Each structure stands twice: as structure tokens, then as C-alpha cells.
Amino acid sequence: MNLLEVKGLTKRFGGIVAVNSASFDVGKNEVVGLIGPNGAGKSTLVQLLMGIIKSDSGEVRFNGKDITRLKAWQVVRQGVAGTFQCTKPFLRLPVFANVLVASSAWKKPGQNGEASMGKAMSVLKKVGIPHLAKLPASQLSHGDLKRLEIARSLATDPRLLILDEPFGGLNYNEIELLSDLVKKLRKQSEEDHPTENSGLSMIIIEHKLSELMKIVDKVIVLNYGEILAFGTPEEVTKNEAVINAYIGEEGI
């Protein structure tokens, strides 16, 4: 059984079909890229998965459970969390407090304040910014703000992490560091669950294709709300329809 199964998901805004009968799956411990031209419906699709907006038809099943009609906070409770293109931290609060808010809000039954504080510091270590814990979020670089957003999502104990353009606005070195973080999170998840069919899966929306293709197992190509292709990076980058609609003859 796949961790995420999407069948016939459709969303209309008036006469515009933003997502048209999208069907795909994400396996356990799998990293899937989501690409396509601007306006293809990528952000709408992940907002449907996260319960931020509701579909007109179709079904989203997560870990075997139908979550199609759940509210956003209920989806988080099921194990789906994500970041957005524009970081939205509590700028006046220290980095540690930003993560503690998420850790405390989504704490498990019986988890006390001390456990929430421990988890907050643990995820800061995972994303590589424990040394910034006391610094106000307003003083972070753009790259470190991206890491903070990931830390806040990880504090909810997700099994599926959705990253919306994590490389946006970053320089080459920052992209390399964030790519390494994605690889590290995946490796750590596999090590933490060596015999379990669980761990951390990811969906990553990104326009920087050469960097994305290095860290994903599969790629979904969305165009005008429809899935144009779904396969391995090699399969997708050689797909003639994808080349014509998005990548171009020069490739990536």
C-alpha cells in the first residue's frame, strides 16, 4: 500500500479548471518532485492534499484513510505537513520559540512541556540551525528562514512533508546546503525505521530542475491542471510531451 493515493482529484475556480482529474501515488520513504509551467496548478494541487482548499471531486487517501474532506488541522494530525513559497515565521519570536509553537500545538497525548521543548531543539539540530535558537527570526538569512520553516513542519511529526519551492530565492551554495538537508532527512528517516514500512516521504514543488532531479525518485509533470507525465527523472526528461510543454529542447 502506498502512503498517499490520489484519484481523479479536480478543482474548479469558476470556469477555470485548476486541477483536472489528477491521479498519482507516493510510496513510503519516497521523494517525488512536482513540476510544470507557472499557472499549471501545482500549488492548488498541494493545497488540496493539505486540506487548505476542498476539491470538487476525487479522493485523497493517506496511509489507507480517506482524508479528502478533512480540515487542514485534521490533515496535519494525520501526518501531512508542508512549507510555502513565502516563509511566514513569527518574526519577533526567537527561532526556538517558533518551533516550540508547532511542537506544542501538535503534541501527542501525554507529551508535557519539557518533551515539546526537547522536540523543538531536536528538529533544529536536524535542519542544522541549533546555534540560531535564541536569535529572533527577523534576523535570519533567507536560507536559514527556509530551514526554520522545515523545522516547524518537522515538529508536527509528519510522514509526508510537502515543500513548495524550497530553492526559491536561494543562491547556489544555499541550494546545495538545502539539497543536502533533504538527502539527510531521508537517510535519517530510513535509518530510524530500518525494518518498518514507514518513515518520511516528500513532495517537492520546484522550478530549478537540475537540482531537483538529483534528489527525487519520481516526478509529476503538471500542465494546465492535468498530469502530463509521471515517472522517474530519466523517463520524464526524455518525454517528448514534457519537452514540448515545459523543459524545452535544451533540456535541464
Side-chain angles (χ1 to χ4, degrees):
M1 181 180 66
N2 289 302
L3 181 65
L4 178 73
E5 297 176 321
V6 178
K7 297 179 181 179
L9 205 60
T10 298
K11 180 63 181 180
R12 298 179 179 85
F13 295 102
I16 298 173
V17 183
V19 177
N20 189 10
S21 194
S23 298
F24 64 93
D25 53 68
V26 177
K28 296 175 181 179
N29 297 311
E30 193 169 55
V31 180
V32 175
L34 176 57
I35 67 173
N38 288 326
K42 302 183 297 297
S43 292
T44 300
L45 177 56
V46 297
Q47 287 178 33
L48 290 169
L49 301 181
M50 297 169 68
I52 296 171
I53 56 178
K54 300 304 176 189
S55 64
D56 296 314
S57 60
E59 182 181 62
V60 180
R61 299 190 70 83
F62 182 73
N63 201 28
K65 181 177 180 179
D66 186 352
I67 64 168
T68 313
R69 296 298 163 194
L70 296 186
K71 294 179 172 61
W73 67 268
Q74 294 172 316
V75 174
V76 174
R77 287 286 190 194
Q78 293 299 316
V80 180
T83 67
F84 299 95
Q85 295 179 34
C86 298
T87 57
K88 298 179 180 179
F90 299 105
L91 291 173
R92 295 183 180 181
L93 290 182
V95 168
F96 178 78
N98 266 272
V99 181
L100 183 60
V101 168
S103 177
S104 300
W106 304 108
K107 64 184 179 181
K108 297 177 180 178
Q111 180 178 314
N112 57 28
E114 185 176 344
S116 295
M117 293 176 70
K119 181 190 289 184
M121 184 53 70
S122 174
V123 295
L124 284 177
K125 290 178 180 177
K126 279 186 178 181
V127 302
I129 55 171
H131 58 293
L132 302 177
K134 296 181 180 180
L135 200 66
S138 60
Q139 296 184 26
L140 265 58
S141 67
H142 188 54
D144 287 333
L145 281 172
K146 295 275 189 176
R147 289 173 176 267
L148 175 57
E149 286 294 283
I150 293 173
R152 295 205 301 171
S153 293
L154 290 175
T156 68
D157 289 328
R159 292 192 60 191
L160 175 63
L161 179 63
I162 300 174
L163 305 179
D164 194 347
E165 296 196 34
F167 299 151
L170 302 184
N171 61 38
Y172 176 79
N173 289 333
E174 290 172 328
I175 290 173
E176 285 291 304
L177 289 172
L178 202 57
S179 293
D180 288 342
L181 174 59
V182 170
K183 295 174 186 175
K184 175 185 172 184
L185 290 174
R186 180 181 188 179
K187 182 179 179 181
Q188 190 169 46
S189 173
E190 291 173 345
E191 291 174 348
D192 290 344
H193 305 275
T195 60
E196 298 177 40
N197 197 13
S198 59
L200 181 66
S201 300
M202 301 185 211
I203 296 176
I204 305 175
I205 300 177
E206 191 52 67
H207 286 289
K208 299 183 185 299
L209 301 187
S210 59
E211 290 83 358
L212 179 70
M213 296 302 179
K214 298 174 185 176
I215 58 175
V216 298
D217 302 301
K218 294 180 182 177
V219 181
I220 301 166
V221 185
L222 203 63
N223 191 39
Y224 293 109
E226 296 186 354
I227 293 182
L228 190 61
F230 179 37
T232 66
E234 184 178 10
E235 291 169 342
V236 165
T237 53
K238 291 181 178 179
N239 186 302
E240 187 173 343
V242 175
I243 292 172
N244 292 334
Y246 184 47
I247 296 177
E249 293 294 339
E250 69 276 8
I252 59 177

